[in-house]
Amino acid sequence: MALGRARLVQPSQPDVDERPLPEAEVEGEVLRLTGALTAARDELKQLRDKLHGALAREVGEFIDAHSLILDDPELTGGLYDLIRKARYRASAALKMQRDRLVAAFDAIDDPYLRSRREDVDHVIGRVQAALARDTTPAERQIAARVGSVLVTDTIAPAELAHLTEHGVLGVITTGGSALSHSAILARSMRLPMVVGAHDALKRMSDDDLVLIDGTHGEIVIHPTAQDLARYRQHQREQTRNAEALSRLKHARTLTADGMEIDLYANAEMSADIVQARALGAAGIGLYRTEFLFLQRREVPDEEEQFIAYRDVVLGMGGMPVTIRTLDLGADKADNTGVALGKEPNPALGVRGVRLSMLHPELFKTQLRAILRAASFGRVRILVPMVTTPEEVVATRELINDCARQLRSSGHEISDHYEFGAMIEVPAAAIALPSLIRHLDFIAIGTNDLTQYTLAVDRGNDSLSALYDPLHPAVLKLLAQIIATAHRARKQVTLCGEMAGEMRYAALLLALGLTSFSMHPSSMLEVRHAIARCDRAKLRKQCASLLRAQTRAGIDRVLKRMQAP
Ligand code: PEP
Ligand code: MG
Protein backbone atom coordinates (compact mmCIF):
# COMPACT_ATOMS: atom_id res chain seq x y z
CA MET A 1 0.00 0.00 0.00
CA ALA A 2 1.08 3.58 -0.53
CA LEU A 3 -0.39 6.89 0.53
CA GLY A 4 0.58 10.01 -1.32
CA ARG A 5 -0.46 12.91 -3.46
CA ALA A 6 -1.34 12.12 -7.03
CA ARG A 7 1.04 13.39 -9.66
CA LEU A 8 -0.55 13.12 -13.07
CA VAL A 9 1.46 12.55 -16.20
CA GLN A 10 -0.86 13.02 -19.12
CA PRO A 11 -0.50 10.69 -22.09
CA SER A 12 0.98 12.11 -25.23
CA GLN A 13 -2.37 12.32 -27.01
CA PRO A 14 -4.23 15.05 -25.16
CA ASP A 15 -7.51 16.69 -26.16
CA VAL A 16 -6.59 19.01 -28.99
CA ASP A 17 -8.60 22.15 -29.60
CA GLU A 18 -8.98 22.24 -33.38
CA ARG A 19 -11.14 25.38 -33.59
CA PRO A 20 -9.50 28.17 -35.63
CA LEU A 21 -7.96 30.92 -33.57
CA PRO A 22 -9.49 34.44 -33.81
CA GLU A 23 -6.86 37.07 -34.64
CA ALA A 24 -7.37 38.84 -31.30
CA GLU A 25 -6.29 35.71 -29.42
CA VAL A 26 -3.11 35.02 -31.40
CA GLU A 27 -0.64 36.78 -29.08
CA GLY A 28 -2.31 35.27 -25.99
CA GLU A 29 -1.89 31.82 -27.52
CA VAL A 30 1.76 32.55 -28.33
CA LEU A 31 2.27 33.45 -24.66
CA ARG A 32 0.54 30.21 -23.53
CA LEU A 33 2.86 28.23 -25.76
CA THR A 34 5.95 30.09 -24.50
CA GLY A 35 4.82 29.43 -20.92
CA ALA A 36 4.32 25.73 -21.61
CA LEU A 37 7.72 25.44 -23.35
CA THR A 38 9.38 27.16 -20.39
CA ALA A 39 7.55 24.89 -17.93
CA ALA A 40 8.66 21.81 -19.88
CA ARG A 41 12.29 23.08 -19.94
CA ASP A 42 12.16 23.78 -16.18
CA GLU A 43 10.80 20.30 -15.51
CA LEU A 44 13.62 18.70 -17.47
CA LYS A 45 16.21 20.85 -15.73
CA GLN A 46 14.80 19.94 -12.33
CA LEU A 47 14.85 16.26 -13.24
CA ARG A 48 18.48 16.58 -14.37
CA ASP A 49 19.56 18.45 -11.24
CA LYS A 50 18.11 15.77 -8.97
CA LEU A 51 20.22 12.97 -10.48
CA HIS A 52 23.44 11.78 -8.87
CA GLY A 53 26.03 9.07 -9.48
CA ALA A 54 25.32 6.31 -11.97
CA LEU A 55 21.75 7.50 -12.48
CA ALA A 56 22.99 10.93 -13.54
CA ARG A 57 24.96 9.26 -16.32
CA GLU A 58 22.36 6.73 -17.44
CA VAL A 59 19.16 8.73 -17.20
CA GLY A 60 20.80 12.13 -17.76
CA GLU A 61 21.53 11.22 -21.35
CA PHE A 62 17.83 10.80 -22.12
CA ILE A 63 16.97 14.05 -20.39
CA ASP A 64 19.66 15.95 -22.34
CA ALA A 65 18.32 14.54 -25.59
CA HIS A 66 14.84 15.75 -24.66
CA SER A 67 16.15 19.22 -23.78
CA LEU A 68 17.86 19.42 -27.18
CA ILE A 69 14.64 18.55 -28.96
CA LEU A 70 12.79 21.18 -26.94
CA ASP A 71 15.34 23.85 -27.91
CA ASP A 72 15.41 22.91 -31.57
CA PRO A 73 14.60 26.13 -33.49
CA GLU A 74 12.95 24.12 -36.23
CA LEU A 75 10.46 22.71 -33.75
CA THR A 76 9.74 25.93 -31.86
CA GLY A 77 9.89 28.21 -34.95
CA GLY A 78 7.42 25.91 -36.69
CA LEU A 79 5.08 26.06 -33.71
CA TYR A 80 5.01 29.87 -33.56
CA ASP A 81 4.46 30.00 -37.33
CA LEU A 82 1.52 27.63 -37.05
CA ILE A 83 -0.09 29.86 -34.44
CA ARG A 84 0.69 33.24 -36.03
CA LYS A 85 0.33 32.41 -39.72
CA ALA A 86 -2.00 29.41 -39.87
CA ARG A 87 -4.09 30.36 -36.80
CA TYR A 88 -3.74 27.05 -35.01
CA ARG A 89 -4.25 26.92 -31.25
CA ALA A 90 -1.14 25.91 -29.30
CA SER A 91 -2.33 22.33 -28.68
CA ALA A 92 -3.26 21.85 -32.35
CA ALA A 93 0.08 23.34 -33.46
CA LEU A 94 1.91 20.89 -31.19
CA LYS A 95 -0.07 17.99 -32.62
CA MET A 96 0.64 19.17 -36.17
CA GLN A 97 4.40 19.43 -35.51
CA ARG A 98 4.38 16.09 -33.76
CA ASP A 99 2.67 14.39 -36.69
CA ARG A 100 5.12 15.93 -39.17
CA LEU A 101 8.15 14.89 -37.15
CA VAL A 102 6.82 11.41 -36.48
CA ALA A 103 6.18 10.91 -40.21
CA ALA A 104 9.79 11.97 -40.88
CA PHE A 105 11.11 9.53 -38.24
CA ASP A 106 8.92 6.72 -39.54
CA ALA A 107 10.51 7.12 -42.97
CA ILE A 108 14.03 6.51 -41.57
CA ASP A 109 15.48 3.07 -42.32
CA ASP A 110 17.71 2.83 -39.27
CA PRO A 111 15.58 1.19 -36.57
CA TYR A 112 17.40 2.98 -33.73
CA LEU A 113 16.89 6.42 -35.23
CA ARG A 114 13.33 5.50 -36.14
CA SER A 115 12.63 4.63 -32.56
CA ARG A 116 13.66 8.18 -31.53
CA ARG A 117 10.14 9.23 -32.53
CA GLU A 118 9.26 8.15 -29.00
CA ASP A 119 11.45 10.95 -27.66
CA VAL A 120 9.63 13.45 -29.83
CA ASP A 121 6.36 12.08 -28.47
CA HIS A 122 7.58 12.37 -24.91
CA VAL A 123 8.83 15.93 -25.37
CA ILE A 124 5.68 17.14 -27.13
CA GLY A 125 3.58 15.25 -24.58
CA ARG A 126 5.39 17.15 -21.81
CA VAL A 127 4.62 20.51 -23.46
CA GLN A 128 1.00 19.46 -24.08
CA ALA A 129 0.68 18.46 -20.43
CA ALA A 130 2.10 21.81 -19.33
CA LEU A 131 -0.42 23.58 -21.59
CA ALA A 132 -3.34 21.57 -20.23
CA ARG A 133 -2.39 22.03 -16.60
CA ASP A 134 -3.32 25.03 -14.56
CA THR A 135 -1.33 24.20 -11.43
CA THR A 136 1.77 26.33 -11.00
CA PRO A 137 5.26 24.79 -10.83
CA ALA A 138 5.34 25.72 -7.11
CA GLU A 139 2.23 23.60 -6.44
CA ARG A 140 3.71 20.70 -8.37
CA GLN A 141 6.87 20.93 -6.30
CA ILE A 142 4.79 20.54 -3.14
CA ALA A 143 3.23 17.40 -4.58
CA ALA A 144 6.67 15.99 -5.28
CA ARG A 145 7.98 16.92 -1.84
CA VAL A 146 5.34 15.21 0.23
CA GLY A 147 5.73 11.98 -1.70
CA SER A 148 3.72 11.27 -4.77
CA VAL A 149 1.82 8.52 -6.43
CA LEU A 150 2.51 8.74 -10.12
CA VAL A 151 -0.56 8.46 -12.35
CA THR A 152 0.30 7.81 -15.97
CA ASP A 153 -0.76 5.87 -19.04
CA THR A 154 2.30 3.63 -19.22
CA ILE A 155 5.74 3.47 -17.69
CA ALA A 156 9.01 1.95 -18.89
CA PRO A 157 11.11 -0.16 -16.48
CA ALA A 158 14.04 2.29 -16.57
CA GLU A 159 11.76 5.20 -15.77
CA LEU A 160 10.34 3.31 -12.83
CA ALA A 161 13.75 2.62 -11.32
CA HIS A 162 14.62 6.28 -11.60
CA LEU A 163 11.35 7.51 -10.10
CA THR A 164 11.58 5.41 -6.95
CA GLU A 165 15.04 6.78 -6.30
CA HIS A 166 13.38 10.16 -6.23
CA GLY A 167 10.64 9.57 -3.77
CA VAL A 168 7.74 8.27 -5.84
CA LEU A 169 5.76 6.09 -3.42
CA GLY A 170 3.49 4.27 -5.81
CA VAL A 171 2.40 4.12 -9.44
CA ILE A 172 -0.98 3.89 -11.14
CA THR A 173 -1.09 3.16 -14.86
CA THR A 174 -4.19 3.38 -17.02
CA GLY A 175 -2.90 0.55 -19.26
CA GLY A 176 -0.41 -2.26 -18.83
CA SER A 177 -0.60 -5.61 -17.15
CA ALA A 178 0.56 -7.20 -13.92
CA LEU A 179 2.97 -9.32 -15.97
CA SER A 180 4.72 -6.47 -17.77
CA HIS A 181 8.39 -6.02 -16.98
CA SER A 182 7.56 -2.75 -15.24
CA ALA A 183 5.14 -4.59 -12.96
CA ILE A 184 7.70 -7.31 -12.26
CA LEU A 185 10.26 -4.63 -11.43
CA ALA A 186 7.78 -2.73 -9.22
CA ARG A 187 7.00 -5.92 -7.31
CA SER A 188 10.64 -6.68 -6.79
CA MET A 189 11.28 -3.13 -5.57
CA ARG A 190 8.26 -3.41 -3.23
CA LEU A 191 6.78 -0.40 -4.98
CA PRO A 192 2.97 -0.45 -4.82
CA MET A 193 1.61 -0.35 -8.37
CA VAL A 194 -1.91 -0.65 -9.76
CA VAL A 195 -2.20 -1.32 -13.49
CA GLY A 196 -5.13 -1.14 -15.90
CA ALA A 197 -6.92 1.67 -14.00
CA HIS A 198 -8.50 2.91 -17.22
CA ASP A 199 -10.10 6.15 -16.01
CA ALA A 200 -7.53 7.13 -13.34
CA LEU A 201 -6.23 10.13 -15.28
CA LYS A 202 -9.75 11.43 -15.79
CA ARG A 203 -10.90 10.86 -12.22
CA MET A 204 -7.92 12.38 -10.47
CA SER A 205 -6.29 15.79 -10.35
CA ASP A 206 -2.77 16.76 -9.38
CA ASP A 207 -2.36 16.85 -5.62
CA ASP A 208 -5.41 14.70 -4.82
CA LEU A 209 -4.62 12.55 -1.79
CA VAL A 210 -4.70 8.94 -2.92
CA LEU A 211 -4.28 5.56 -1.20
CA ILE A 212 -3.31 2.60 -3.35
CA ASP A 213 -3.19 -1.09 -2.54
CA GLY A 214 -1.00 -2.94 -5.03
CA THR A 215 -1.90 -6.38 -3.67
CA HIS A 216 -5.61 -5.96 -4.27
CA GLY A 217 -5.42 -3.47 -7.15
CA GLU A 218 -7.39 -0.87 -5.20
CA ILE A 219 -7.30 2.90 -5.51
CA VAL A 220 -8.99 5.18 -2.97
CA ILE A 221 -9.11 8.84 -3.93
CA HIS A 222 -9.56 11.19 -0.93
CA PRO A 223 -9.33 8.34 1.63
CA THR A 224 -11.54 8.60 4.71
CA ALA A 225 -10.36 8.32 8.30
CA GLN A 226 -11.29 4.62 8.16
CA ASP A 227 -9.19 4.06 5.06
CA LEU A 228 -6.26 5.78 6.73
CA ALA A 229 -6.66 3.59 9.82
CA ARG A 230 -6.52 0.53 7.53
CA TYR A 231 -3.32 1.87 6.00
CA ARG A 232 -1.71 2.41 9.42
CA GLN A 233 -2.71 -1.12 10.43
CA HIS A 234 -1.11 -2.41 7.23
CA GLN A 235 2.11 -0.53 8.01
CA ARG A 236 2.20 -2.01 11.53
CA GLU A 237 1.73 -5.54 10.09
CA GLN A 238 4.47 -4.94 7.54
CA THR A 239 6.90 -3.92 10.29
CA ARG A 240 5.97 -6.99 12.38
CA ASN A 241 6.31 -9.33 9.38
CA ALA A 242 9.63 -7.80 8.39
CA GLU A 243 10.95 -8.38 11.93
CA ALA A 244 9.72 -11.98 11.99
CA LEU A 245 11.09 -12.69 8.54
CA SER A 246 14.47 -11.13 9.20
CA ARG A 247 15.11 -14.01 11.62
CA LEU A 248 15.03 -16.31 8.58
CA LYS A 249 17.79 -14.45 6.75
CA HIS A 250 20.48 -17.07 6.93
CA ALA A 251 18.31 -20.01 7.93
CA ARG A 252 18.31 -23.12 5.76
CA THR A 253 15.21 -23.63 3.66
CA LEU A 254 13.59 -26.74 5.09
CA THR A 255 10.09 -28.13 4.80
CA ALA A 256 8.27 -29.07 8.01
CA ASP A 257 9.26 -32.71 7.40
CA GLY A 258 12.90 -31.77 7.04
CA MET A 259 13.58 -31.76 3.30
CA GLU A 260 16.12 -29.18 2.12
CA ILE A 261 14.81 -26.92 -0.67
CA ASP A 262 17.10 -24.77 -2.85
CA LEU A 263 16.18 -21.10 -2.97
CA TYR A 264 17.97 -19.22 -5.71
CA ALA A 265 17.67 -15.55 -6.58
CA ASN A 266 16.65 -13.91 -9.84
CA ALA A 267 18.83 -10.89 -10.54
CA GLU A 268 19.01 -8.02 -12.94
CA MET A 269 21.13 -5.43 -11.20
CA SER A 270 23.95 -5.33 -8.68
CA ALA A 271 21.60 -4.44 -5.81
CA ASP A 272 19.89 -7.82 -6.38
CA ILE A 273 23.21 -9.63 -5.92
CA VAL A 274 23.87 -7.84 -2.63
CA GLN A 275 20.35 -8.69 -1.42
CA ALA A 276 20.63 -12.30 -2.58
CA ARG A 277 23.81 -12.78 -0.52
CA ALA A 278 22.34 -10.98 2.48
CA LEU A 279 19.27 -13.21 2.51
CA GLY A 280 21.09 -16.50 2.11
CA ALA A 281 20.34 -17.42 -1.52
CA ALA A 282 21.83 -20.71 -2.73
CA GLY A 283 23.07 -18.86 -5.83
CA ILE A 284 21.64 -16.93 -8.78
CA GLY A 285 19.02 -19.02 -10.58
CA LEU A 286 18.39 -16.47 -13.33
CA TYR A 287 20.52 -13.49 -14.33
CA ARG A 288 18.60 -11.63 -17.04
CA THR A 289 21.34 -10.18 -19.27
CA GLU A 290 19.01 -8.24 -21.54
CA PHE A 291 18.86 -5.45 -18.98
CA LEU A 292 22.46 -4.61 -19.98
CA PHE A 293 21.24 -4.01 -23.52
CA LEU A 294 18.10 -1.96 -22.93
CA GLN A 295 17.76 1.83 -23.08
CA ARG A 296 20.96 2.43 -24.97
CA ARG A 297 22.06 2.91 -28.50
CA GLU A 298 25.23 0.83 -28.70
CA VAL A 299 25.49 -2.89 -27.98
CA PRO A 300 27.72 -3.54 -24.92
CA ASP A 301 31.04 -4.96 -26.15
CA GLU A 302 32.71 -8.14 -24.87
CA GLU A 303 34.76 -6.29 -22.25
CA GLU A 304 31.77 -4.46 -20.79
CA GLN A 305 29.72 -7.65 -20.67
CA PHE A 306 32.63 -9.62 -19.20
CA ILE A 307 33.04 -7.09 -16.37
CA ALA A 308 29.30 -7.12 -15.61
CA TYR A 309 29.12 -10.95 -15.53
CA ARG A 310 32.40 -11.31 -13.63
CA ASP A 311 31.15 -8.90 -10.97
CA VAL A 312 28.02 -10.99 -10.49
CA VAL A 313 30.13 -14.15 -10.20
CA LEU A 314 32.52 -12.48 -7.73
CA GLY A 315 29.58 -10.99 -5.84
CA MET A 316 28.17 -14.46 -5.24
CA GLY A 317 31.46 -15.68 -3.78
CA GLY A 318 31.63 -19.15 -5.30
CA MET A 319 27.91 -19.93 -5.36
CA PRO A 320 26.45 -20.95 -8.73
CA VAL A 321 25.43 -18.10 -11.04
CA THR A 322 23.05 -18.88 -13.89
CA ILE A 323 23.61 -16.37 -16.69
CA ARG A 324 20.84 -16.36 -19.26
CA THR A 325 21.87 -15.40 -22.77
CA LEU A 326 20.09 -12.51 -24.41
CA ASP A 327 16.28 -12.71 -24.35
CA LEU A 328 15.47 -9.65 -26.43
CA GLY A 329 12.35 -9.37 -28.54
CA ALA A 330 8.64 -9.52 -27.67
CA ASP A 331 8.05 -7.07 -24.80
CA LYS A 332 11.77 -6.58 -24.16
CA ALA A 333 12.54 -4.57 -27.26
CA ASP A 334 12.68 -0.93 -26.16
CA ASN A 335 15.64 1.13 -27.21
CA THR A 336 18.39 -1.35 -27.84
CA GLY A 337 21.31 -1.24 -30.22
CA VAL A 338 20.32 -4.64 -31.62
CA ALA A 339 18.42 -4.34 -34.90
CA LEU A 340 15.02 -5.86 -34.18
CA GLY A 341 12.86 -6.13 -37.28
CA LYS A 342 9.26 -4.99 -37.19
CA GLU A 343 7.19 -8.13 -36.73
CA PRO A 344 3.43 -8.55 -36.81
CA ASN A 345 3.57 -11.01 -33.92
CA PRO A 346 6.73 -10.38 -31.89
CA ALA A 347 5.91 -12.77 -29.00
CA LEU A 348 5.91 -15.58 -31.58
CA GLY A 349 8.74 -14.03 -33.52
CA VAL A 350 12.48 -13.52 -33.41
CA ARG A 351 13.04 -13.63 -29.67
CA GLY A 352 15.57 -15.16 -27.26
CA VAL A 353 17.81 -17.83 -28.79
CA ARG A 354 16.16 -17.28 -32.20
CA LEU A 355 17.45 -13.70 -32.24
CA SER A 356 20.89 -14.77 -30.96
CA MET A 357 21.13 -17.39 -33.74
CA LEU A 358 20.28 -14.79 -36.37
CA HIS A 359 23.12 -12.60 -35.07
CA PRO A 360 26.00 -15.04 -34.50
CA GLU A 361 28.56 -12.28 -33.86
CA LEU A 362 26.36 -10.77 -31.17
CA PHE A 363 25.80 -14.24 -29.66
CA LYS A 364 29.49 -15.15 -29.75
CA THR A 365 30.47 -11.85 -28.11
CA GLN A 366 28.10 -12.63 -25.26
CA LEU A 367 29.19 -16.26 -24.95
CA ARG A 368 32.86 -15.24 -24.87
CA ALA A 369 32.14 -12.73 -22.12
CA ILE A 370 30.29 -15.38 -20.10
CA LEU A 371 33.03 -17.98 -20.58
CA ARG A 372 35.67 -15.50 -19.41
CA ALA A 373 33.56 -14.67 -16.34
CA ALA A 374 33.27 -18.41 -15.65
CA SER A 375 36.95 -18.45 -14.67
CA PHE A 376 35.99 -16.50 -11.55
CA GLY A 377 33.45 -18.89 -10.09
CA ARG A 378 30.73 -21.41 -10.89
CA VAL A 379 28.81 -20.29 -13.95
CA ARG A 380 25.84 -21.97 -15.59
CA ILE A 381 24.82 -20.84 -19.08
CA LEU A 382 21.07 -20.72 -19.70
CA VAL A 383 19.44 -20.29 -23.12
CA PRO A 384 15.96 -18.76 -23.42
CA MET A 385 13.04 -19.51 -25.78
CA VAL A 386 14.30 -22.92 -26.85
CA THR A 387 11.94 -24.98 -29.05
CA THR A 388 14.09 -27.65 -30.70
CA PRO A 389 17.07 -29.89 -29.86
CA GLU A 390 18.88 -28.36 -32.85
CA GLU A 391 18.94 -24.96 -31.14
CA VAL A 392 20.45 -26.52 -28.05
CA VAL A 393 23.07 -28.48 -29.98
CA ALA A 394 24.01 -25.47 -32.13
CA THR A 395 24.38 -23.28 -29.04
CA ARG A 396 26.57 -25.87 -27.30
CA GLU A 397 28.79 -26.02 -30.41
CA LEU A 398 29.03 -22.25 -30.52
CA ILE A 399 30.07 -22.21 -26.86
CA ASN A 400 32.74 -24.83 -27.55
CA ASP A 401 34.01 -22.79 -30.54
CA CYS A 402 34.18 -19.68 -28.39
CA ALA A 403 36.05 -21.55 -25.65
CA ARG A 404 38.59 -22.85 -28.22
CA GLN A 405 39.09 -19.37 -29.69
CA LEU A 406 39.57 -17.84 -26.26
CA ARG A 407 42.07 -20.50 -25.25
CA SER A 408 44.06 -20.02 -28.46
CA SER A 409 44.26 -16.31 -27.74
CA GLY A 410 45.71 -16.95 -24.30
CA HIS A 411 42.68 -16.96 -21.99
CA GLU A 412 42.45 -19.66 -19.38
CA ILE A 413 38.97 -21.01 -19.93
CA SER A 414 37.70 -23.74 -17.69
CA ASP A 415 36.05 -26.84 -19.17
CA HIS A 416 33.51 -26.80 -16.39
CA TYR A 417 30.47 -24.82 -17.14
CA GLU A 418 26.96 -26.18 -16.95
CA PHE A 419 24.61 -25.65 -19.83
CA GLY A 420 20.83 -25.43 -19.55
CA ALA A 421 17.69 -24.26 -21.32
CA MET A 422 14.63 -22.32 -20.28
CA ILE A 423 11.56 -24.49 -20.67
CA GLU A 424 8.98 -21.88 -21.50
CA VAL A 425 7.58 -22.93 -24.87
CA PRO A 426 4.97 -25.75 -24.69
CA ALA A 427 6.76 -27.67 -27.46
CA ALA A 428 9.93 -27.79 -25.37
CA ALA A 429 7.93 -28.95 -22.36
CA ILE A 430 6.11 -31.70 -24.26
CA ALA A 431 9.18 -32.89 -26.15
CA LEU A 432 11.49 -32.45 -23.16
CA PRO A 433 13.06 -35.96 -23.35
CA SER A 434 14.58 -35.06 -26.74
CA LEU A 435 16.08 -31.86 -25.33
CA ILE A 436 17.18 -32.86 -21.91
CA ARG A 437 19.75 -35.35 -23.20
CA HIS A 438 21.77 -32.37 -24.40
CA LEU A 439 21.42 -30.34 -21.21
CA ASP A 440 22.92 -30.28 -17.71
CA PHE A 441 19.94 -28.56 -16.11
CA ILE A 442 16.66 -26.84 -16.98
CA ALA A 443 14.85 -23.75 -15.74
CA ILE A 444 11.08 -23.47 -16.07
CA GLY A 445 9.90 -20.04 -17.23
CA THR A 446 6.29 -20.08 -16.10
CA ASN A 447 5.71 -16.46 -17.16
CA ASP A 448 6.10 -17.46 -20.79
CA LEU A 449 4.99 -21.08 -20.45
CA THR A 450 1.62 -19.80 -19.20
CA GLN A 451 1.39 -17.22 -21.98
CA TYR A 452 2.21 -19.69 -24.74
CA THR A 453 0.17 -22.61 -23.38
CA LEU A 454 -2.95 -20.53 -22.95
CA ALA A 455 -2.33 -18.31 -26.02
CA VAL A 456 -2.77 -15.30 -23.74
CA ASP A 457 -0.41 -12.35 -24.13
CA ARG A 458 1.18 -11.83 -20.70
CA GLY A 459 1.17 -8.08 -21.26
CA ASN A 460 -2.45 -7.69 -22.33
CA ASP A 461 -4.52 -6.32 -19.46
CA SER A 462 -7.86 -7.12 -21.07
CA LEU A 463 -6.96 -10.81 -20.93
CA SER A 464 -5.52 -10.80 -17.42
CA ALA A 465 -8.36 -12.98 -16.05
CA LEU A 466 -7.45 -15.65 -18.59
CA TYR A 467 -3.75 -15.54 -17.77
CA ASP A 468 -3.73 -18.20 -15.09
CA PRO A 469 -0.64 -20.26 -14.17
CA LEU A 470 -3.01 -22.58 -12.26
CA HIS A 471 -4.90 -23.59 -15.40
CA PRO A 472 -5.08 -27.43 -15.42
CA ALA A 473 -3.09 -27.53 -18.68
CA VAL A 474 -0.23 -25.50 -17.21
CA LEU A 475 -0.14 -27.61 -14.03
CA LYS A 476 -0.03 -30.82 -16.09
CA LEU A 477 2.92 -29.45 -18.07
CA LEU A 478 4.71 -28.40 -14.88
CA ALA A 479 4.28 -31.85 -13.32
CA GLN A 480 5.48 -33.46 -16.54
CA ILE A 481 8.57 -31.23 -16.83
CA ILE A 482 9.57 -31.79 -13.20
CA ALA A 483 9.08 -35.57 -13.44
CA THR A 484 11.05 -35.79 -16.73
CA ALA A 485 13.94 -33.82 -15.24
CA HIS A 486 14.02 -35.95 -12.11
CA ARG A 487 13.98 -39.16 -14.17
CA ALA A 488 16.90 -37.84 -16.22
CA ARG A 489 18.65 -36.79 -12.95
CA LYS A 490 18.93 -33.20 -14.13
CA GLN A 491 18.34 -30.23 -11.89
CA VAL A 492 15.09 -28.35 -12.51
CA THR A 493 14.49 -24.86 -11.10
CA LEU A 494 11.36 -22.79 -11.53
CA CYS A 495 12.27 -19.14 -12.11
CA GLY A 496 9.00 -17.52 -13.27
CA GLU A 497 7.12 -15.08 -11.01
CA MET A 498 5.15 -18.01 -9.59
CA ALA A 499 8.18 -19.21 -7.65
CA GLY A 500 8.22 -16.01 -5.60
CA GLU A 501 4.55 -16.16 -4.58
CA MET A 502 4.26 -17.69 -1.13
CA ARG A 503 0.67 -18.84 -1.85
CA TYR A 504 2.01 -21.19 -4.54
CA ALA A 505 4.77 -22.78 -2.42
CA ALA A 506 2.64 -25.77 -1.30
CA LEU A 507 1.35 -26.38 -4.83
CA LEU A 508 4.84 -26.38 -6.34
CA LEU A 509 6.16 -28.73 -3.64
CA ALA A 510 3.20 -31.02 -4.36
CA LEU A 511 4.21 -31.06 -8.03
CA GLY A 512 7.66 -32.24 -6.97
CA LEU A 513 9.65 -29.02 -7.26
CA THR A 514 12.65 -28.75 -4.96
CA SER A 515 14.43 -25.74 -6.46
CA PHE A 516 12.93 -22.26 -6.69
CA SER A 517 14.37 -19.02 -8.09
CA MET A 518 12.78 -15.65 -7.35
CA HIS A 519 13.56 -12.02 -6.80
CA PRO A 520 15.48 -11.79 -3.51
CA SER A 521 12.77 -9.62 -1.98
CA SER A 522 10.42 -12.64 -1.96
CA MET A 523 12.90 -15.14 -0.53
CA LEU A 524 12.14 -14.81 3.17
CA GLU A 525 8.37 -15.06 2.66
CA VAL A 526 8.77 -18.17 0.51
CA ARG A 527 11.26 -19.70 2.98
CA HIS A 528 8.68 -19.10 5.71
CA ALA A 529 5.85 -20.64 3.61
CA ILE A 530 7.98 -23.70 2.78
CA ALA A 531 8.77 -24.23 6.47
CA ARG A 532 5.04 -24.73 7.08
CA CYS A 533 4.67 -27.40 4.37
CA ASP A 534 4.86 -31.13 4.91
CA ARG A 535 6.32 -32.22 1.59
CA ALA A 536 5.56 -35.92 1.93
CA LYS A 537 1.88 -35.19 2.58
CA LEU A 538 1.74 -32.69 -0.26
CA ARG A 539 3.25 -35.15 -2.73
CA LYS A 540 0.40 -37.55 -1.96
CA GLN A 541 -2.08 -34.90 -3.09
CA CYS A 542 -0.34 -34.34 -6.43
CA ALA A 543 -2.50 -36.91 -8.22
CA SER A 544 -5.76 -35.31 -7.12
CA LEU A 545 -4.38 -31.89 -8.11
CA LEU A 546 -3.69 -33.19 -11.60
CA ARG A 547 -7.04 -34.97 -11.82
CA ALA A 548 -8.91 -31.70 -11.22
CA GLN A 549 -10.65 -30.71 -14.45
CA THR A 550 -11.42 -27.11 -13.65
CA ARG A 551 -9.87 -24.18 -11.87
CA ALA A 552 -12.51 -24.48 -9.14
CA GLY A 553 -11.50 -28.12 -8.62
CA ILE A 554 -7.84 -27.10 -8.35
CA ASP A 555 -8.75 -24.43 -5.79
CA ARG A 556 -10.52 -27.09 -3.68
CA VAL A 557 -7.41 -29.32 -3.67
CA LEU A 558 -5.25 -26.30 -2.82
CA LYS A 559 -7.47 -25.45 0.12
CA ARG A 560 -7.08 -28.98 1.44
CA MET A 561 -3.31 -28.73 1.00
CA GLN A 562 -3.15 -25.49 2.92
CA ALA A 563 -5.34 -26.73 5.79
CA PRO A 564 -3.26 -27.07 8.98
C1 PEP B 1 9.69 -16.67 -17.66
O1 PEP B 1 9.29 -16.61 -18.82
O2 PEP B 1 9.05 -17.25 -16.74
C2 PEP B 1 10.98 -16.06 -17.28
C3 PEP B 1 11.52 -16.28 -16.10
O3 PEP B 1 11.61 -15.24 -18.16
P1 PEP B 1 11.14 -13.73 -18.55
O4 PEP B 1 10.11 -13.30 -17.53
O5 PEP B 1 12.39 -12.92 -18.52
O6 PEP B 1 10.57 -13.91 -19.92
MG1 MG C 1 10.60 -16.02 -20.39
Side-chain angles (χ1 to χ4, degrees), residues 21 44 62 64 82 170 202 294 314 335 356 382 443 446 452 546:
L21 189 65
L44 286 175
F62 297 105
D64 290 346
L82 282 167
K202 291 200 196 96
L294 295 177
L314 291 177
N335 292 340
S356 296
L382 179 64
T446 39
Y452 293 126
L546 297 177

Side-chain angles (χ1 to χ4, degrees), residues 9-15 121 125-126 128-129 151-154 174 201:
V9 178
Q10 295 294 345
S12 43
Q13 283 173 347
D15 293 337
D121 261 345
R126 191 177 283 283
Q128 288 280 27
V151 189
T152 179
D153 54 344
T154 158
T174 55
L201 277 167

Side-chain angles (χ1 to χ4, degrees), residues 181 184 266 286 288 290 324 327 331-332 351 422 424 444-449 458 495-497:
H181 281 99
I184 291 178
N266 289 355
L286 171 65
R288 289 180 164 103
E290 50 280 4
R324 183 172 75 181
D327 186 20
D331 62 336
K332 284 173 279 193
R351 171 186 174 183
M422 293 283 294
E424 51 187 346
I444 312 177
T446 39
N447 304 341
D448 279 313
L449 187 64
R458 64 194 254 190
C495 60
E497 288 303 291

Side-chain angles (χ1 to χ4, degrees), residues 1 13 18 33 48 80 135 143 186 189 197 220 229-230 236 239 251 263 274 292 331 345 377 415 433 465 480 505 516:
M1 293 176 101
Q13 283 173 347
E18 307 265 11
L33 175 67
R48 186 78 168 97
Y80 287 118
T135 49
M189 298 192 306
V220 185
R230 185 162 65 94
R236 279 194 293 273
T239 314
L263 280 201
V274 175
L292 270 178
D331 62 336
N345 212 341
D415 285 328
Q480 195 179 313
F516 296 60

Side-chain angles (χ1 to χ4, degrees), residues 81-95:
D81 278 354
L82 282 167
I83 297 176
R84 288 208 171 97
K85 297 187 185 147
R87 297 281 160 81
Y88 279 86
R89 286 169 198 271
S91 60
L94 279 162
K95 179 174 182 303

